[in-house]
Amino acid sequence: MNWWQQLQRNGLARVGAIALILMYLTVIAAEFMAPYDPYVAQDDGSLLPPTAIYWTNPQGSWIGPHVYPTTQGQTDINTGDRLLKIDKTQPSSINLFVRGSSYRLLAVSIPMLPKFDPATSKRSKDKAPVVRTKSDAQEIAIFAGIPCDWHLFGTTGPGKINLLGTDEQGRDQFSRLIYGGRISLFIGLIGVMISFPIGMILGGISGYFGGWIDAAIMRVAEVLMTLPSLYLLVALASVLPDRVSSSQRFLLIIVITSFISWAGLARVIRGQVLSIKEREFVQAARAMGAKPFYIIIRHVIPQTATYLIISATLAIPSFIVSESVLSLIGLGIQPPDPSWGNLLSVATNTSILIFQPWLIWPPALLIILTVLSFNLLGDGLRDALDPRNLQRSTN
């Protein structure tokens, strides 16, 4: 029984993997899955509760699933509840695969780091540097996407279906939740893709060469490990210029988090390389004249693949939580661009916490579910790739 079969036998790991696959597929096709544009507000639709779905008309006749146009009314002074105006003369049927706002499916672009113009920067005693950014070159399009206007579900008529209600601006919360998952889910993957190669290569060089190279790299790693990453991110995010777009801020958060997260991995890889470099196949490659960097990349680093896979799976949640915390306190992704962190930031408003809890629970539960799913998958991979378990399964 190989490691894949061992992983399949782990029910919790399978549940975590399925949950992650569904979430990633959903956010990749967010334009299709979301019924509405996450940036467009509905008229008189501020803080609407989840839309009620009806099956019969007011006369009791069956007409299938439908909703009615709903807007906010006056606030009841005694209870604080906001009354709803429901127009039951215009039923709007709920259908699959409906036409709506146009978009480009599967469009891919890369955000560029902000460009600072020192000639226009001004310094004073009580003001931060004034920096201009060139917003006309914030992203580079890799794939323009497929023009489309189909959505997985929606309504035909004036009524809107807001599965999770609307926010303070009257925007559909369900659509913003799906779009926000792109940032919150992919920040972990991209962060691992940056930090792990750095830690892997530097740890391999440190363990293989030893001496002053080992001492220099490990001292740098120890300094980075003493830095409180969250507080460093807060400090750096707070000094960013206002004109930095959310895509640029997203890239900066990833880069900063990645360059302070490789130290712990490098130390572990160094320890493994110290033992691996003494094995016979490494000694044979050295005796045949192979260059040190070739030996590190071709023979030494692949031997640490098991640890790297497990560690990467367990490291992704830390990136997700870091982005969520920064966005929650207003220093991460900025509105109107959605992320699970800034969607959760409304929890600081007591009235919303009491009267509109549907705005808070969905992003909070998705963050918890994502972190839990990655941990379940990581634990399953650790058990499946454990040499002792593999040896027992082959005997």
PDB file of all heavy atoms in Angstrom, residues 230-243:
ATOM      1  N   LEU A 230       3.633  39.527  12.847  1.00  0.00           N
ATOM      2  CA  LEU A 230       2.368  40.251  12.755  1.00  0.00           C
ATOM      3  C   LEU A 230       2.557  41.736  13.025  1.00  0.00           C
ATOM      4  O   LEU A 230       2.042  42.588  12.302  1.00  0.00           O
ATOM      5  CB  LEU A 230       1.351  39.655  13.731  1.00  0.00           C
ATOM      6  CG  LEU A 230      -0.042  40.287  13.700  1.00  0.00           C
ATOM      7  CD1 LEU A 230      -0.661  40.175  12.323  1.00  0.00           C
ATOM      8  CD2 LEU A 230      -0.944  39.646  14.741  1.00  0.00           C
ATOM      9  N   TYR A 231       3.352  42.069  14.065  1.00  0.00           N
ATOM     10  CA  TYR A 231       3.579  43.474  14.382  1.00  0.00           C
ATOM     11  C   TYR A 231       4.394  44.155  13.284  1.00  0.00           C
ATOM     12  O   TYR A 231       4.193  45.340  13.007  1.00  0.00           O
ATOM     13  CB  TYR A 231       4.291  43.593  15.729  1.00  0.00           C
ATOM     14  CG  TYR A 231       3.461  43.105  16.890  1.00  0.00           C
ATOM     15  CD1 TYR A 231       3.786  41.937  17.563  1.00  0.00           C
ATOM     16  CD2 TYR A 231       2.323  43.799  17.297  1.00  0.00           C
ATOM     17  CE1 TYR A 231       3.014  41.482  18.616  1.00  0.00           C
ATOM     18  CE2 TYR A 231       1.545  43.345  18.347  1.00  0.00           C
ATOM     19  CZ  TYR A 231       1.905  42.187  19.012  1.00  0.00           C
ATOM     20  OH  TYR A 231       1.125  41.743  20.043  1.00  0.00           O
ATOM     21  N   LEU A 232       5.322  43.417  12.674  1.00  0.00           N
ATOM     22  CA  LEU A 232       6.082  43.984  11.565  1.00  0.00           C
ATOM     23  C   LEU A 232       5.174  44.293  10.389  1.00  0.00           C
ATOM     24  O   LEU A 232       5.282  45.348   9.751  1.00  0.00           O
ATOM     25  CB  LEU A 232       7.187  43.004  11.147  1.00  0.00           C
ATOM     26  CG  LEU A 232       8.041  43.435   9.957  1.00  0.00           C
ATOM     27  CD1 LEU A 232       8.797  44.721  10.271  1.00  0.00           C
ATOM     28  CD2 LEU A 232       9.019  42.323   9.570  1.00  0.00           C
ATOM     29  N   LEU A 233       4.249  43.381  10.085  1.00  0.00           N
ATOM     30  CA  LEU A 233       3.301  43.612   9.001  1.00  0.00           C
ATOM     31  C   LEU A 233       2.410  44.808   9.303  1.00  0.00           C
ATOM     32  O   LEU A 233       2.120  45.614   8.415  1.00  0.00           O
ATOM     33  CB  LEU A 233       2.450  42.359   8.784  1.00  0.00           C
ATOM     34  CG  LEU A 233       3.128  41.196   8.072  1.00  0.00           C
ATOM     35  CD1 LEU A 233       2.250  39.958   8.138  1.00  0.00           C
ATOM     36  CD2 LEU A 233       3.421  41.544   6.628  1.00  0.00           C
ATOM     37  N   VAL A 234       1.973  44.930  10.541  1.00  0.00           N
ATOM     38  CA  VAL A 234       1.135  46.075  10.920  1.00  0.00           C
ATOM     39  C   VAL A 234       1.898  47.378  10.735  1.00  0.00           C
ATOM     40  O   VAL A 234       1.370  48.360  10.189  1.00  0.00           O
ATOM     41  CB  VAL A 234       0.656  45.921  12.377  1.00  0.00           C
ATOM     42  CG1 VAL A 234      -0.002  47.214  12.858  1.00  0.00           C
ATOM     43  CG2 VAL A 234      -0.323  44.766  12.495  1.00  0.00           C
ATOM     44  N   ALA A 235       3.164  47.390  11.159  1.00  0.00           N
ATOM     45  CA  ALA A 235       3.966  48.611  11.035  1.00  0.00           C
ATOM     46  C   ALA A 235       4.197  48.978   9.572  1.00  0.00           C
ATOM     47  O   ALA A 235       4.072  50.145   9.183  1.00  0.00           O
ATOM     48  CB  ALA A 235       5.305  48.420  11.754  1.00  0.00           C
ATOM     49  N   LEU A 236       4.523  47.985   8.748  1.00  0.00           N
ATOM     50  CA  LEU A 236       4.775  48.266   7.339  1.00  0.00           C
ATOM     51  C   LEU A 236       3.500  48.647   6.605  1.00  0.00           C
ATOM     52  O   LEU A 236       3.499  49.532   5.746  1.00  0.00           O
ATOM     53  CB  LEU A 236       5.423  47.041   6.682  1.00  0.00           C
ATOM     54  CG  LEU A 236       6.829  46.707   7.163  1.00  0.00           C
ATOM     55  CD1 LEU A 236       7.316  45.399   6.546  1.00  0.00           C
ATOM     56  CD2 LEU A 236       7.798  47.826   6.819  1.00  0.00           C
ATOM     57  N   ALA A 237       2.390  47.973   6.933  1.00  0.00           N
ATOM     58  CA  ALA A 237       1.129  48.275   6.253  1.00  0.00           C
ATOM     59  C   ALA A 237       0.639  49.675   6.591  1.00  0.00           C
ATOM     60  O   ALA A 237       0.000  50.344   5.775  1.00  0.00           O
ATOM     61  CB  ALA A 237       0.070  47.236   6.623  1.00  0.00           C
ATOM     62  N   SER A 238       0.931  50.139   7.804  1.00  0.00           N
ATOM     63  CA  SER A 238       0.422  51.443   8.223  1.00  0.00           C
ATOM     64  C   SER A 238       1.134  52.599   7.548  1.00  0.00           C
ATOM     65  O   SER A 238       0.615  53.715   7.529  1.00  0.00           O
ATOM     66  CB  SER A 238       0.554  51.576   9.738  1.00  0.00           C
ATOM     67  OG  SER A 238       1.914  51.513  10.133  1.00  0.00           O
ATOM     68  N   VAL A 239       2.329  52.363   6.977  1.00  0.00           N
ATOM     69  CA  VAL A 239       3.066  53.450   6.328  1.00  0.00           C
ATOM     70  C   VAL A 239       2.928  53.416   4.815  1.00  0.00           C
ATOM     71  O   VAL A 239       3.534  54.234   4.128  1.00  0.00           O
ATOM     72  CB  VAL A 239       4.559  53.406   6.713  1.00  0.00           C
ATOM     73  CG1 VAL A 239       4.731  53.556   8.207  1.00  0.00           C
ATOM     74  CG2 VAL A 239       5.221  52.116   6.225  1.00  0.00           C
ATOM     75  N   LEU A 240       2.135  52.505   4.291  1.00  0.00           N
ATOM     76  CA  LEU A 240       1.943  52.461   2.847  1.00  0.00           C
ATOM     77  C   LEU A 240       1.139  53.671   2.397  1.00  0.00           C
ATOM     78  O   LEU A 240       0.231  54.122   3.091  1.00  0.00           O
ATOM     79  CB  LEU A 240       1.210  51.175   2.443  1.00  0.00           C
ATOM     80  CG  LEU A 240       1.980  49.869   2.582  1.00  0.00           C
ATOM     81  CD1 LEU A 240       1.084  48.696   2.201  1.00  0.00           C
ATOM     82  CD2 LEU A 240       3.231  49.879   1.726  1.00  0.00           C
ATOM     83  N   PRO A 241       1.446  54.228   1.227  1.00  0.00           N
ATOM     84  CA  PRO A 241       0.669  55.371   0.736  1.00  0.00           C
ATOM     85  C   PRO A 241      -0.763  54.988   0.430  1.00  0.00           C
ATOM     86  O   PRO A 241      -1.073  53.838   0.139  1.00  0.00           O
ATOM     87  CB  PRO A 241       1.425  55.776  -0.540  1.00  0.00           C
ATOM     88  CG  PRO A 241       2.200  54.569  -0.942  1.00  0.00           C
ATOM     89  CD  PRO A 241       2.550  53.855   0.321  1.00  0.00           C
ATOM     90  N   ASP A 242      -1.643  55.984   0.495  1.00  0.00           N
ATOM     91  CA  ASP A 242      -3.069  55.733   0.308  1.00  0.00           C
ATOM     92  C   ASP A 242      -3.390  55.236  -1.089  1.00  0.00           C
ATOM     93  O   ASP A 242      -4.392  54.557  -1.291  1.00  0.00           O
ATOM     94  CB  ASP A 242      -3.876  57.003   0.600  1.00  0.00           C
ATOM     95  CG  ASP A 242      -3.791  57.402   2.070  1.00  0.00           C
ATOM     96  OD1 ASP A 242      -3.539  56.498   2.880  1.00  0.00           O
ATOM     97  OD2 ASP A 242      -3.957  58.589   2.374  1.00  0.00           O
ATOM     98  N   ARG A 243      -2.578  55.615  -2.070  1.00  0.00           N
ATOM     99  CA  ARG A 243      -2.896  55.281  -3.447  1.00  0.00           C
ATOM    100  C   ARG A 243      -2.536  53.853  -3.833  1.00  0.00           C
ATOM    101  O   ARG A 243      -2.772  53.441  -4.955  1.00  0.00           O
ATOM    102  CB  ARG A 243      -2.187  56.238  -4.405  1.00  0.00           C
ATOM    103  CG  ARG A 243      -2.686  57.669  -4.323  1.00  0.00           C
ATOM    104  CD  ARG A 243      -2.048  58.514  -5.398  1.00  0.00           C
ATOM    105  NE  ARG A 243      -2.491  59.901  -5.325  1.00  0.00           N
ATOM    106  CZ  ARG A 243      -2.104  60.844  -6.195  1.00  0.00           C
ATOM    107  NH1 ARG A 243      -1.268  60.529  -7.160  1.00  0.00           N
ATOM    108  NH2 ARG A 243      -2.538  62.076  -6.065  1.00  0.00           N
TER     109      ARG A 243
END
